[in-house]
Amino acid sequence: MTQVGFKTDKGRKRDRNEDSLFVMPQEDIYIVADGVGGQNSGELASSMAVKTIAEYIKANPLHGMTEEEKLKEYFLDCMVNANQIIYQAARFTVENAGMATTVVLLYLSQGNAYVVNLGDSRAYICRDGQISQITEDHTYVNELVKGGSITKEQAEFHPQKNMITRALGGDERVLPDFYRLEIIKNDIIILCTDGLYGELSAEEICGMAAASNSMSALSRNLVQRANRNGGNDNITVICLKI
């Protein structure tokens, strides 16, 4: 049994909300996306992403698929399909040129969490008062950190910290990351856009999660805190308690 809460907000500095989320509790699928691109195209890219992924899953039911390799293949096909649709839409309309979106997807099945991601929207897991980031950011700055050119602290203030190296719809080819982890009772999994973790430390997120019984209240409180801390970007969060 999973308890779920979710919330999206445009934040305090942006005119529009270019984030999207989609929950499919019957399929145990949860999706967050953060669009990039000028005009309204970031908004369009993220909503197209969650919609096309949801449609793919409805048309190709998972039916309790548990083999890791098959799941990896399934979600790769799903992302390739969504990527093609967004990439073509970006190519053929001038106002949507260059649009793309991050995506982080969670699938829960038989005591496992499967996470697929592109870009810098994140998945975290909170367990016994400790928080771990499941996903790895696909950003230029994260590449620099991994390569030892800059420190994690320097990365936070780097002028190009928002430069994404992988996204949905940005390129003809797409290479998502795929993670599997075992989950236990009372684990809290959080999917979010950078509007949340840009304003709150992982420790703050964890503290609020540990103190919360309701996932709806947690989602609402996280968004409120991010806004209070600056609200510089759109904020989207899905919280799940196992």
Side-chain angles (χ1 to χ4, degrees):
M1 189 64 193
T2 310
Q3 195 199 125
V4 187
F6 49 88
K7 178 111 176 102
T8 186
D9 188 85
K10 71 182 178 67
R12 294 172 59 188
K13 306 284 171 72
R14 297 292 172 94
D15 299 329
R16 282 190 313 273
N17 191 349
E18 298 193 342
D19 290 356
S20 295
L21 64 84
F22 207 94
V23 300
M24 305 171 73
Q26 282 169 308
E27 288 84 359
D28 282 312
I29 292 276
Y30 305 89
I31 316 160
V32 161
D34 177 0
V36 291
Q39 318 278 296
N40 300 319
S41 52
E43 209 173 318
L44 180 65
S46 70
S47 65
M48 280 177 80
V50 299
K51 188 167 171 280
T52 52
I53 290 167
E55 282 169 357
Y56 182 93
I57 291 164
K58 286 220 163 82
N60 305 277
L62 280 149
H63 291 314
M65 197 189 292
T66 53
E67 235 179 281
E68 195 170 325
E69 280 312 307
K70 282 191 173 163
L71 277 167
K72 206 180 267 192
E73 216 170 282
Y74 176 93
F75 285 114
L76 177 61
D77 289 346
C78 174
M79 293 296 165
V80 165
N81 173 67
N83 187 68
Q84 272 306 108
I85 291 167
I86 299 166
Y87 182 71
Q88 294 302 336
R91 275 185 70 194
F92 293 117
T93 45
V94 177
E95 64 271 22
N96 295 332
M99 76 172 179
T101 181
T102 72
V103 66
V104 58
L105 175 152
L106 168 70
Y107 171 51
L108 298 174
S109 177
Q110 300 188 347
N112 288 301
Y114 300 92
V115 177
V116 185
N117 83 296
L118 284 154
D120 65 351
S121 292
R122 290 181 179 175
Y124 290 102
I125 186 164
C126 304
R127 179 183 291 172
D128 299 330
Q130 300 288 315
I131 189 168
S132 309
Q133 187 179 329
I134 300 167
T135 51
E136 192 173 291
D137 297 346
H138 300 143
T139 59
Y140 170 65
V141 161
N142 194 41
E143 297 292 326
L144 294 179
V145 172
K146 278 161 67 185
S149 307
I150 61 170
T151 64
K152 270 191 169 176
E153 290 68 40
Q154 287 170 319
E156 282 181 40
F157 304 100
H158 197 281
Q160 288 162 302
K161 70 172 190 173
N162 294 326
M163 192 193 276
I164 295 167
T165 52
R166 284 194 238 172
L168 205 55
D171 241 309
E172 208 167 349
R173 289 170 184 272
V174 71
L175 185 65
D177 282 345
F178 181 91
Y179 302 88
R180 181 190 71 83
L181 61 153
E182 286 177 27
I183 46 175
I184 56 173
K185 192 180 173 197
N186 293 326
D187 280 349
I188 293 175
I189 298 175
I190 296 171
L191 307 182
C192 65
T193 58
D194 60 343
L196 181 75
Y197 68 77
E199 304 291 2
L200 276 80
S201 69
E203 289 67 36
E204 275 182 279
I205 294 170
C206 187
M208 290 173 72
S212 195
N213 290 322
S214 154
M215 292 300 100
S216 295
L218 175 60
S219 304
R220 202 168 53 243
N221 293 340
L222 285 169
V223 168
Q224 277 175 353
R225 178 75 62 90
N227 271 325
R228 228 179 23 243
N229 290 358
N232 289 293
D233 204 346
N234 308 146
I235 312 147
T236 299
V237 59
I238 300 178
C239 301
L240 303 102
K241 187 169 191 173
I242 310 301

